[in-house]
Structures are given as structure tokens and as C-alpha cells.
Amino acid sequence: MSNSYSFDYLIGQTRAKRDTLLEAPARYFLSAMLAGTLIAVVLSASMRLAQLLLQSSSPYYAVAYSAFFGTALVAIIVSKSELFTSNVMYLTLARLSGRASTAEAALSWGCVYLGNLAGILLFTLVWMQAGGLGDYPDSHVASQLVAVKTGAPAMKIFWKAVLCNWIICLAVWLPMKLENEAAKIMLIMLLVFVFFFSGFEHCIANMALFSLVWAHAPDALPFADIVHNMVPATLGNIVGGMLGVALPAWLLERHTLSDAPQTAPSAMQRLCEESQ
């Protein structure tokens, strides 16, 4: 465990995000675009790797692309860019600690969500000019993955999304407690592997997957199918980040904060206090 970690530091990060959103919204949006492009570029490489192994009749293609995808979250954390799923955790903590209002938290989520989408679409546009995934058979592993995601019932997608962002936010929070940089990277990679290999639903990764597949085979991916997945996946990610990590982290560590909330407590915060 790192002696330098403190809940004060984590809460300070939440306030910094809120301040950047309000004082430099263009920079905040650009940071979200960067996170979207990082998700998309790593996913595109993961799909190429998976297709190569699938064509070689390797039964381990899913293991390979799941293990590689953690590179995206490592890059996002190192670059300090804004990813929607982890932003849910940060801004929930900001609201609970009084560092942001409910409206500011919602504004942050909306800005980051749209920024992630813009980054993904920009990457896809450039990437297709560079050849995309190359030869794209109907049986491509990316299309198979899309079929599974869009064919699942909405509630199944929702609960998979809850589990996904519980794991993703743990992959952001827990490494802060470690001193060794290699250990931090390994923990992030392993936790991301858990969510990706388990087939859980990450709305931004799904956004990137749908964009990459639609660019190759638009007729095979109706917009209604995208909405069918994205709505419950997004809502599930919000619930997983809020209730799976932000609220437990607040309940477990709020007593270590060195200062009081800077705004009036919310209804959720009062509920937390009454439960202690």
C-alpha cells in the first residue's frame, strides 16, 4: 500500500474535473475526445488480433483480444483523459463530497459522453482512409461480437453494464493505493481483462465497436440495433459506477477527509450519513 494515497487526493481530483469543465469546457471536451480515440484505436488492434487468431483456428482468440484491450485504460489513465465510465465515479464522489452540484455532475457526464463519441467517430473516419480492418468477411469476429451485443435482451445488457463499470471503476480506484507503477499497470490490465473476457457491456467500447463495424458493413448494423444496446448499456454503466464503487468508496473513506463539504449536502449524502 502507498503511504502517499489519501482520499483527500481522490476528492481533489473530482473537484479539478469540475473546475476544468466550467472554466475550460473546450479543453475538457478535447480530453474526452482523446479518451474516445484511445478506446477506438486499441479496439481496432484487438479486433485485428482476434481475427488473425480466429483464421488460424486458435481457440484462444478471445483471450488474446481481451488481454490486449486493457492497454486502452492504461493509456487513458496515464494521459489523464476523460472516459465516461470512470467520470461517472469521479463526479458522483464530487457530488457526495459537495465539490459539485447534481447539475454539474450531469453536465460533465454529457460533455464526456459526447466527447468520447466525437473522438471515436474522428478516429473511424481517418482509420477507414488508412484501410480499416482490411478484408472484412461477413463472419468477421467484430461482426460476431456485435451480433451478440445487439441480440441480447435489454435487461441482460443493463446488468452486464452494471458489472462492467463496477470493474472498470475498481481498475481506476484500486491502483491509486499501490506504489509500484508496474503493479498498477498489471492490476489495471487484469481487471479490464475480467470485464472484456466476461462479455460485460462498456458503453464507450460498444460505441467504438459499432462505429468500426458500421464503417465496414453499414447495412448489417441497423441504427435501431445500436440504440437497443447503447441505452441500457449506458444506464447500467452509470449505476455500476455510482453504486458499485463511488458510494462504497465514500462510505469507507469519507472519515479521512481533512475538510468539510463545500456545498449543501445532497439527499444521497444525507442518506449515507444517516446510515452510519
Side-chain angles (χ1 to χ4, degrees), residues 8 51-52 108 110 140-141 205 234 257 273:
D8 277 302
Q51 182 66 11
L52 178 64
S108 177
H140 196 284
V141 66
T234 301
L257 286 174
E273 292 171 350

Side-chain angles (χ1 to χ4, degrees), residues 136-192:
Y136 194 87
D138 293 340
S139 60
H140 196 284
V141 66
S143 289
Q144 294 180 29
L145 192 55
V146 164
V148 172
K149 289 181 175 295
T150 58
M155 287 307 300
K156 185 175 182 179
I157 295 170
F158 173 82
W159 287 112
K160 281 188 171 185
V162 171
L163 291 171
C164 170
N165 209 27
W166 169 55
I167 294 171
I168 289 298
C169 290
L170 286 176
V172 173
W173 176 44
L174 294 182
M176 294 181 187
K177 296 173 175 283
L178 302 176
E179 286 185 337
N180 185 276
E181 296 299 323
K184 291 180 180 181
I185 293 172
M186 181 169 291
L187 181 57
I188 294 168
M189 296 287 288
L190 287 173
L191 286 171
V192 172

Side-chain angles (χ1 to χ4, degrees), residues 55-239:
Q55 290 175 337
S56 302
S57 301
S58 171
Y60 301 111
Y61 68 91
V63 175
Y65 74 70
S66 299
F68 184 76
F69 188 69
T71 307
L73 187 58
V74 172
I76 287 168
I77 291 173
V78 171
S79 66
K80 295 187 177 181
S81 50
E82 295 294 339
L83 180 65
F84 172 75
T85 43
S86 57
N87 193 265
V88 168
M89 175 193 73
Y90 277 114
L91 269 295
T92 299
L93 284 170
R95 182 63 191 97
L96 289 170
S97 62
R99 270 67 177 181
S101 67
T102 301
E104 289 166 344
L107 179 62
S108 177
W109 296 350
C111 179
V112 173
Y113 193 87
L114 292 176
N116 289 167
L117 174 60
I120 288 167
L121 294 178
L122 178 61
F123 169 80
T124 303
L125 178 64
V126 175
W127 174 72
M128 286 301 292
Q129 303 309 307
L133 288 171
D135 294 334
Y136 194 87
D138 293 340
S139 60
H140 196 284
V141 66
S143 289
Q144 294 180 29
L145 192 55
V146 164
V148 172
K149 289 181 175 295
T150 58
M155 287 307 300
K156 185 175 182 179
I157 295 170
F158 173 82
W159 287 112
K160 281 188 171 185
V162 171
L163 291 171
C164 170
N165 209 27
W166 169 55
I167 294 171
I168 289 298
C169 290
L170 286 176
V172 173
W173 176 44
L174 294 182
M176 294 181 187
K177 296 173 175 283
L178 302 176
E179 286 185 337
N180 185 276
E181 296 299 323
K184 291 180 180 181
I185 293 172
M186 181 169 291
L187 181 57
I188 294 168
M189 296 287 288
L190 287 173
L191 286 171
V192 172
F193 174 82
V194 169
F195 114 73
F196 212 75
F197 187 71
S198 299
F200 295 155
E201 301 286 347
H202 187 285
C203 64
I204 306 302
N206 288 0
M207 192 186 287
L209 178 64
F210 295 149
S211 178
L212 303 183
V213 171
W214 189 88
H216 287 88
D219 295 338
L221 184 55
F223 184 71
D225 286 355
I226 296 175
V227 173
H228 170 75
N229 176 276
M230 288 299 300
V231 171
T234 301
L235 294 175
N237 285 166
I238 291 172
V239 171

